[in-house]
Structures are given as structure tokens and as C-alpha cells.
Amino acid sequence: MIAEPAFFDFIAYTIAILVILVSMTQNLLYLVLLLIAVGVMAGRPQVRQSRALWNGAVDAAPPVSVIVPAFNEAPTIADSLRSLLALEYPDFRVVVVNDGSTDTTLEVLIDAFALEPAEIDRRSPLAHAPLRGLYRSSRHANLVLVDKENSGKADALNAGLGQVTTELFCAVDADSLLEADGLLRVVQPFIEDPERVVAVGGTVRVANGCGVRAGRVRSVALPKKLLPMLQTVEYLRAFMMARLAWGRLGCLMIVSGAFGLFRRDVVIELGGYSTKTVGEDLELVIRLHRHAREAGRDYRIDFVPEPVCWTQVPETLGVLARQRQRWQRGALESFFTHKDMLVKRRYGRAGRLGLGHILLLDVVTPIIEVIGYILLPFFWMAGTINTEFFLAYLAMTFAFGVFISVASLILEEFERRRVPRAVDLVRLTVAAVVENFGYRQLANLWRIQGHWHYWRGAAHWGKQSRTEFAAA
Amino acid sequence: MFGLASFDLVMRLIWQTTLALVAIGLVLMSGLVLRRLLEEWWDARHRPAREALRKSLLLSLNQSAAAPPAVPRGLPVAETARLVDELAQIVRGDARTRLAAFAVEAGIERHWLQRLRSRLTAYRFDAARCLALLDTERSRAALAACLEQGPPRLKLAAAEALAQDAVQAAALAARFAAEPAAHGRHANRFWHRIATVAPDALVGWLEDPNLPTALAIRLVEALGDAGHSAAANRIEALVGFHGDELDRAALAALDRLKHPLVMRAARSLATAKEPDSRRAALAVLARRARPRDIEIVQALAGDPISDIGEAASAILARLAPRAAPGVEPA
């Protein structure tokens, strides 16, 4: 019974109830997303093999430009570009933007692809930092290199957009490898619904541990190190469950910067990528929603689970911490830039659900969770909350995460089956359990640091480091 | 102590339900791991035989005089069927005919026909797709039976498999044209197949004033995708009479056909009431407009919807320097 609680007890109750309510809301949201993702997967037609896909789409596939912003990517850029140039797609070109790299990225590119200086077309629909040079390849007619002064990924993408003439463009990270039929798969919504679709995202997978040869993932394997392994589970959960479900609900708020296809005219109409945020991919998609809703346009931003883009994830705590802090800062910048969408009716689901989940999962939850880690064990030990309450808190904070991660793995195994062997499934399941005891808490601490950077007004990307892909 | 009795009950329910969910998840995952282990064992057992068959089969498919190989002893028919389905995706012409003969000889037709009677729609759908290779009497009869019953997706897959020549395709098209289930987007593959095999059957329908708009959209898209340029006149004639969605589909189809009539359609849509139609016209004009189109682009530059007006102004700025003297840009 609560009998005339002292001031401390009252504060403790309030905090405990807030923590558990936020956890419950978050977990209920995950559960709903999971159920929607299961429904979407069950209702999808069978995934077509590459050949059938090619035969069906070769005449209808519109030309696509692949824009690859690169900053200090010397170790991986040649492999990434080879994978792009080997794409199975009827008509595409690759525009690499060297964003003033201070390493040997430019030299590596010039040597590896026989690039020669060409005349710069300075007419660009978008503002960006000055161009230093334009190079064309004598070996690959569909390859262009734009060399520009350093000013960030968003600005590099805008500079790349200036060199693009195709209706569609695909933004790809320089440390990523696309599967040969990835572009053909991700373009399908544009072929099926060309009027409404403005952006499509594809699945991104962890490349650490995979064997790579000539820019292609030749042997799929799980990372050997724990940190990339835990991120593999995170990526599976994010792409197999969350994005699929948000896409179905019509409020997918992010198309990963590592792999996304967009309508060029719409993005240019919006003024391109925002250089005021480090989360330019999230911000652009929110702006696409805003713009379409304001114009009363019938539109779709879709997610296709089949295309696979492989990316190198951080292998050290320091690099991972910086990445997560940056993501958090980007989420906060995007959220607070467009916070009015949350309450205005005309933004519909995209505002209420889309921005609402960013508010819950990115703005509120990290803070509340960390408060819970610190205070609830203390409240329990002090006898302020009883064991039932504490167990419910532990279940919500730790065990439910295990369920969601394992459920995402089950979904993956039922539908995609890209995990190579039974033993890998076991390893991933163990990682899905372990992730919730230590890693998740650490990730929340990094997000709090991201909060701190945001409120302090820090505006830099942080030091990046790249490792070469493992040879097959 | 925080612990109202009813509150405790809720808390207990939360942690016990969560643990139950975790347990269910882990048990299910264990089952999937077990399934994988069995598959790996099965694969390791049959892989050498399957790979040997793949090599010899490919060799025989590429040489018209070569006799089809014998299926290795002990290789299950499901494995052989999987191999044949893989190869069916990559072979064409005579090689495809030889592969079909091998499939019948090896008893794969029977296997696929059994799967076509499965309770699982996914299996039936897959079997219908695979049977497209064979074109035997039995397979045709079984697929024809599927046309009578089963979910619309299966019926469409069976119809797609049966549409082997122009006569069959035209008959199937006539049959499905009357079914509203074949008017949706999920029927795109079927209509694409018909447009590839018997495009003329579809072109005539475009003149029918009673043709449902949803179906007309499917036909226009399919003919555009199939590259049937002879349909361009009929497609263009639809613009302006059957609604905005069909207008836009017609414009997109003409654009894909790279037909000169696309500009006439674009000019027509540029004055449409629906903003999305004007946007579609603008997208075409952005790529294809010539100085002679300056008037229509000028009109769009004054569009009350800002993004349309701005995009048209950008096109205008590009066109203006090339326009004839005396024509003033907006």
C-alpha cells in the first residue's frame, strides 16, 4: 500500500512509473512493427531470381545515376567502385564525388580507373562548395569523378546531383558494396508506380567477415569479432522489421544514406540534401514527406527488403561511439527542424507516427532508459519499489529486446535466408541475447553523448576510419 | 513500498509474458536451426550428384545431337526439379525445349503437378511458374484446372504459364479481362506476358469505350513495357477521356516507347486540372521540350502550385536562350 509517501518516495514512484511507461510504449511499438513486418513478408510475392528480374524489367528500367560521395576512402573506394561498375542494370552511370579527401582517394581512383581531366560543367541546380576538377574514365564510359573542396557528405551529394541528368539517382556510401542485381530490385517500385514513388530504400547488411573479390561479396559470412556481430543483429532488426513496417504504414522516415534511390527532380525541388545536419539522409526523407503533404501530392516512400548493400561497420568502440553519437545528433537535428509536423493535421501519419516515433525512440527513450539503469536498481535496493515492479522493469528493458531481436532473426530465416550456415544462426541468436546485456546500454550512453553534442551545438562528423574488405 | 495489489498483478503479467515470448522465440529459433542442420546434411549428401548432373545436363543442352544425361541414382526428384528450374531461367530456344524434354523424362513434371495440388498456395504458385517450361498436355490441363479454382494470384500465375503462343494468350487475355481481380497491380506480370506474346490482342481493346479504367491502365503499362510501338496511336488517343490516372499511365507508356506522340500527350496533360498530371507532363517536358514548346512551359511556369511553377521556370530558363527571337521567357 502507498501510505503517505515521503517526498523521496513520491519522486521515486514518478520516475519509476515514467521509466516503465516509456519502456512499455517502446516495446509495444516494436511488437506492432514486428506484426506488421510479418504481415508484409507473408503477403509479398515470391522473390524473383535475377534473370527473371532482368527479363521482366530490362525494357522498363529507367536510367539511374549512382552518386558516391567519398572522403578519405582510399582503402575501400576501388573495390566499392568495381562493384558498382559491375552492376546488372541496363542503363546506369556512376558519379563519384571526392569531397576534398586528405588521403590518397583521388590518386587511387585516377590510377585504378584510368581517369582523365575533363571540362567541368559548372551549371548546377544546387549550391555546393567549389569544384576542383572533373574526370572521365577512358575505360568506363559511365564513370565520372567530381573533385571538390571538402564540405561534408550532404554537400558532396549535392555536387554529384549537379552532374546527374537521369530521372533517378541512387545515393551509395563509398564504403558499401551493392549486390549485382541490387539496383534492379530497388528500382521495381519506380517501375510499378512511377507517378507516386519518390524514394526507395534497400536493405543494408554488414560486410565485416564476408569475402570480397573484385568489388563483389563472394562468400557471405558473419563477422568474427563481437562488436560487428552485435551490429549485424541491430541491422537485421532495423531493416527486416522496422523499415519494412514503417514503409507499409506510409511513414518510413529514413532511407539509409548507404543505399537509397530517389527521384532527382523532387530532390532538386527541395533544394537537395541539407548541409545543416549530420543526418542528411533522415532529414531529406522527412522533407520529402513534408513537401508532398504540403503540396497535397499522392506519394510513396517505399522500402524493398530484397536489395542488399553490404557495408563495413566499425570494429572498435571508439569509432562506433562516434558513429552513434553522430546518428543521434542527426536524429535530433532532423526532429527539431521538422517538429511542427508532429502536431499539424495536414502532415497526417508522416507527422504523427513518423515524427512521433522519432520523438519516442530517439529523443525521449535514451534519456529515460539511462535514468532507469541508474535509479531503478537503487530504488529496489532501497525498498521503494517492490520485486514485481523491478522484475517487470528488467523484463521490459532487457528481455523484451531479446524477443524482438530473435523474432527479427526468425523473420529473416523464414523469408530471406541470407545467413549462410546453421552454426551462424546459432551465433546470431547468441548475439541477439548478449546484445541486450551491456551493448544496448552502452549504445544508449553514446546516444546521451549525442544529445549532449546536439544541445552544445557541436557540428562536425568526427574522425572516420576505414578498413579494407576481407579478400575472398 | 511500491506495490498496490492490482498494480503488482500487472507487473507480474508483464514480466511473465515477456519471458514467455522470449522462450517461444528461442524455441522457434531452435527449430529453425534444426531445420537448417537437416538441410545442410541433405545438401552435403546430394550435392556431388546434383553438380555432376548440372555439368552433364548443360553439356547436352548446348549440343543438339547429345543424348540427355541419366539422373544419378539416389538423387531425389525434388533436387533434380530444383536444378531444372534454375537452368530454365538461363536457357533459351532449342536448349529450353531439350530441357523441357529432360524434365518430362526425369519425372519432374509429375513432381510439379503434385506440388500444384499442394495445400500451400506458395507451393502451388511456384509449381505453376515452373510448369511454364513444359507445355505438355498434362501440364496444360493441370494449369487450366487452376484457372477455375484457387486464389487470384495462382490463377494469374497459371494463366501466365499457359500463355505460350498468340492464340492462347489472346484467349486468356479475353477471359481475364472480365475478372476484376486481374485489373489490379498484382496482375502486371500477366498483362506484361500477354503484351509480349500477343500485343495485337490488347491494342484493339484500347478502342473499347466500355473498357474499365483499371484494366486500361494495366494494358497501357504492359504495352509500354513490352515496347509495342504500334500501340502508340491508340494509347495517345486515350489521353483526356478516361481520368487522370490513365492519362498519366498513357504518358508514361509513350515515354517508355520513346514515341514522338509523347509530346502531344505531355502538352495535353500540361493543362490538366490534376496537379500530378501536370507534374507528369512537366517531367516529360524537362527531358524532351524544344524551343517550340516554350508556350506550354510558360503556362506551367505560372502554375499556382509552387513546385510545378518553379520546375517549369527552370525548364524555361534552359529553353529561353534557344528559343526563336521575339519569344519572351516568363
Side-chain angles (χ1 to χ4, degrees):
Chain A
M1 291 290 290
I2 304 171
E4 294 179 12
F7 180 69
F8 169 78
D9 283 350
F10 175 75
I11 296 291
Y13 298 153
T14 311
I15 292 172
I17 287 174
L18 182 69
V19 167
I20 208 147
L21 276 180
V22 168
S23 291
M24 276 173 70
T25 315
Q26 181 190 12
N27 290 339
L28 275 175
L29 178 65
Y30 282 146
L31 195 60
V32 170
L33 292 179
L34 178 69
L35 293 174
I36 293 171
V38 170
V40 175
M41 281 293 192
R44 282 180 67 81
Q46 198 172 36
V47 177
R48 285 197 280 170
Q49 290 183 340
S50 291
R51 180 68 57 175
L53 196 71
W54 176 271
N55 290 339
V58 67
D59 296 326
V64 174
S65 297
V66 182
I67 306 179
V68 191
F71 175 71
N72 289 353
E73 306 278 358
T76 56
I77 190 74
D79 266 344
S80 297
L81 267 196
R82 281 189 200 104
S83 103
L84 292 175
L85 291 167
L87 282 174
E88 290 169 7
Y89 195 82
D91 186 0
F92 73 101
R93 64 213 64 176
V94 179
V95 180
V96 192
V97 186
N98 177 41
D99 187 29
S101 298
T102 52
D103 68 354
T104 56
T105 301
L106 184 65
E107 291 75 18
V108 166
L109 285 168
I110 290 172
D111 288 348
F113 300 98
L115 293 163
E116 290 162 6
E119 196 180 334
I120 305 176
D121 181 358
R122 294 189 189 277
R123 287 171 302 172
S124 175
L126 300 169
H128 54 75
L131 302 186
R132 297 195 296 212
L134 189 82
Y135 298 82
R136 290 187 192 280
S137 171
S138 52
R139 247 184 262 152
H140 306 276
N142 59 342
L143 174 62
V144 175
L145 167 65
V146 180
D147 184 27
K148 65 179 276 291
E149 288 176 14
N150 176 257
S151 52
K153 184 179 171 185
D155 193 72
L157 284 163
N158 287 340
L161 261 169
Q163 303 299 321
V164 165
T165 52
T166 51
E167 269 179 62
L168 303 180
F169 78 91
C170 181
V172 177
D173 276 354
D175 59 340
S176 301
L177 303 173
L178 288 195
E179 292 229 325
D181 60 3
L183 201 51
L184 204 51
R185 291 193 187 280
V186 83
V187 85
Q188 291 302 310
F190 284 99
I191 294 175
E192 288 161 10
D193 194 1
E195 297 297 324
R196 295 171 63 222
V197 177
V198 291
V200 177
T203 300
V204 179
R205 289 279 169 100
V206 173
N208 306 47
C210 296
V212 175
R213 188 156 45 84
R216 284 272 174 88
V217 171
R218 303 285 167 173
S219 57
V220 177
L222 292 181
K224 291 181 181 64
K225 294 182 183 170
L226 179 65
L227 209 52
M229 186 71 161
L230 298 174
Q231 290 172 77
T232 304
V233 175
E234 271 188 307
Y235 273 65
L236 275 175
R237 195 175 51 225
F239 286 95
M240 290 303 293
M241 181 190 79
R243 300 212 183 165
L244 198 58
W246 287 123
R248 169 52 60 95
L249 289 172
C251 35
L252 181 66
M253 301 311 274
I254 181 163
V255 168
S256 171
F259 183 35
L261 191 59
F262 298 86
R263 255 177 63 179
R264 175 182 171 272
D265 58 343
V266 177
V267 174
I268 286 179
E269 262 174 51
L270 300 183
Y273 286 87
S274 168
T275 52
K276 292 177 186 155
T277 172
V278 289
E280 74 293 324
D281 45 2
L282 171 66
E283 199 280 335
L284 175 69
V285 178
I286 298 177
R287 210 148 25 100
L288 284 171
H289 280 288
R290 172 188 278 276
H291 181 73
R293 297 264 173 182
E294 284 172 359
R297 183 186 284 180
D298 188 12
Y299 73 106
R300 255 175 76 197
I301 296 175
D302 215 342
F303 173 75
V304 182
E306 286 87 33
V308 175
C309 166
W310 299 89
T311 192
Q312 289 275 55
V313 298
E315 295 198 340
T316 61
L317 281 174
V319 179
L320 182 62
R322 283 196 293 276
Q323 183 198 54
R324 295 309 160 94
Q325 289 159 10
R326 196 176 65 242
W327 285 2
Q328 180 64 24
R329 215 167 69 227
L332 294 174
E333 284 165 351
S334 304
F335 174 78
F336 285 109
T337 305
H338 298 282
K339 57 183 182 300
D340 59 312
M341 286 175 69
L342 194 61
V343 288
K344 290 184 182 164
R345 281 178 68 89
R346 68 169 163 170
Y347 298 112
R349 274 189 195 178
R352 284 193 294 273
L353 270 179
L355 261 284
H357 95 263
I358 296 176
L359 172 68
L360 176 70
L361 301 184
D362 293 315
V363 182
V364 176
T365 301
I367 299 170
I368 299 293
E369 266 204 47
V370 170
I371 289 173
Y373 301 153
I374 298 164
L375 293 183
L376 262 70
F378 171 70
F379 292 160
W380 177 62
M381 282 188 288
T384 315
I385 56 170
N386 66 13
T387 304
E388 293 291 348
F389 192 101
F390 191 56
L391 281 176
Y393 162 72
L394 291 178
M396 289 274 101
T397 311
F398 297 90
F400 201 87
V402 174
F403 166 68
I404 291 292
S405 297
V406 170
S408 302
L409 290 184
I410 291 170
L411 201 58
E412 150 71 22
E413 178 59 10
F414 262 121
E415 288 297 326
R416 296 283 87 88
R417 311 201 85 197
R418 297 302 296 260
V419 180
R421 297 169 304 162
V423 68
D424 294 325
L425 269 183
V426 175
R427 288 179 64 206
L428 269 180
T429 310
V430 172
V433 176
V434 170
E435 182 213 5
N436 289 280
F437 302 93
Y439 177 76
R440 174 173 164 173
Q441 291 70 32
L442 202 54
N444 272 323
L445 282 176
W446 292 330
R447 295 171 80 185
I448 294 290
Q449 287 174 326
H451 257 284
W452 171 248
H453 291 166
Y454 171 73
W455 294 110
R456 220 181 45 165
H460 58 88
W461 267 66
K463 190 171 180 289
Q464 305 289 295
S465 72
R466 295 279 180 251
T467 47
E468 282 183 55
F469 292 108
Chain B
M1 184 80 145
F2 198 112
L4 284 171
S6 59
F7 208 69
D8 279 358
L9 199 67
V10 174
M11 291 299 137
R12 192 174 307 141
L13 195 68
I14 288 174
W15 72 257
Q16 286 180 351
T17 310
T18 307
L19 287 187
L21 285 173
V22 172
I24 291 167
L26 289 174
V27 167
L28 202 55
M29 196 68 214
S30 306
L32 290 173
V33 169
L34 199 65
R35 187 179 78 165
R36 268 296 189 100
L37 281 169
L38 284 172
E39 282 175 4
E40 283 175 13
W41 168 78
W42 177 268
D43 189 58
R45 194 175 161 206
H46 297 297
R47 191 188 302 141
R50 193 179 61 231
E51 289 310 308
L53 178 61
R54 180 198 297 274
K55 275 185 191 165
S56 53
L57 190 54
L58 272 172
L59 205 66
S60 78
L61 294 177
N62 290 327
Q63 296 168 354
S64 57
V71 176
R73 283 182 76 149
L75 186 66
V77 72
E79 283 296 307
T80 316
R82 199 154 60 109
L83 176 62
V84 169
D85 184 34
E86 275 174 39
L87 295 179
Q89 309 295 325
I90 56 172
V91 296
R92 294 285 177 275
D94 289 346
R96 195 174 167 85
T97 314
R98 284 195 283 278
L99 181 65
F102 169 81
V104 174
E105 189 71 22
I108 292 164
E109 183 186 30
R110 204 164 47 244
H111 169 75
W112 282 338
L113 288 172
Q114 274 171 3
R115 290 197 107 183
L116 198 62
R117 291 191 292 271
S118 165
R119 284 186 179 182
L120 295 172
T121 307
Y123 274 19
R124 298 174 72 193
F125 180 80
D126 199 38
R129 185 184 56 78
C130 292
L131 282 167
L133 170 75
L134 302 183
D135 199 25
T136 62
E137 256 179 54
R138 281 173 72 190
S139 65
R140 276 198 302 274
L143 288 168
C146 285
L147 294 178
E148 304 303 328
Q149 55 185 8
R153 192 175 145 221
L154 178 68
K155 284 183 182 178
L156 285 165
E160 193 185 326
L162 282 168
Q164 297 286 344
D165 58 49
V167 177
Q168 281 175 320
L172 285 162
R175 177 198 168 118
F176 277 92
E179 291 195 17
H183 298 181
R185 288 197 175 277
H186 57 275
N188 275 356
R189 275 180 59 118
F190 168 71
W191 291 113
H192 187 275
R193 172 79 183 156
I194 303 291
T196 308
V197 180
D200 295 329
L202 306 186
V203 176
W205 295 0
L206 295 180
E207 280 190 348
D208 181 357
N210 298 319
L211 188 68
T213 305
L215 178 59
I217 292 171
R218 298 286 86 75
L219 303 188
V220 163
E221 285 176 348
L223 289 164
D225 288 351
H228 193 64
S229 298
N233 282 309
R234 298 268 170 85
I235 292 174
E236 199 273 330
L238 293 172
V239 175
F241 298 103
H242 303 275
D244 297 305
E245 206 182 342
L246 179 55
D247 287 354
R248 291 195 292 272
L251 182 71
L254 291 168
D255 198 22
R256 276 178 204 164
L257 291 172
K258 296 185 171 62
H259 198 279
L261 283 174
V262 70
M263 284 307 294
R264 199 194 292 177
R267 283 185 208 111
S268 172
L269 261 68
T271 56
K273 278 186 185 169
E274 176 68 32
D276 277 343
S277 296
R278 299 202 296 280
R279 284 191 187 95
L282 202 58
V284 171
L285 287 166
R287 280 178 286 107
R288 299 179 185 271
R290 297 285 174 271
R292 66 172 178 272
D293 303 308
I294 204 155
E295 277 182 25
I296 198 84
V297 182
Q298 265 175 340
L300 282 169
D303 200 285
I305 293 179
S306 61
D307 67 284
I308 298 178
E310 286 164 18
S313 300
I315 302 171
L316 208 55
R318 209 184 66 223
L319 288 179
R322 291 190 280 155
V327 177
E328 279 186 27

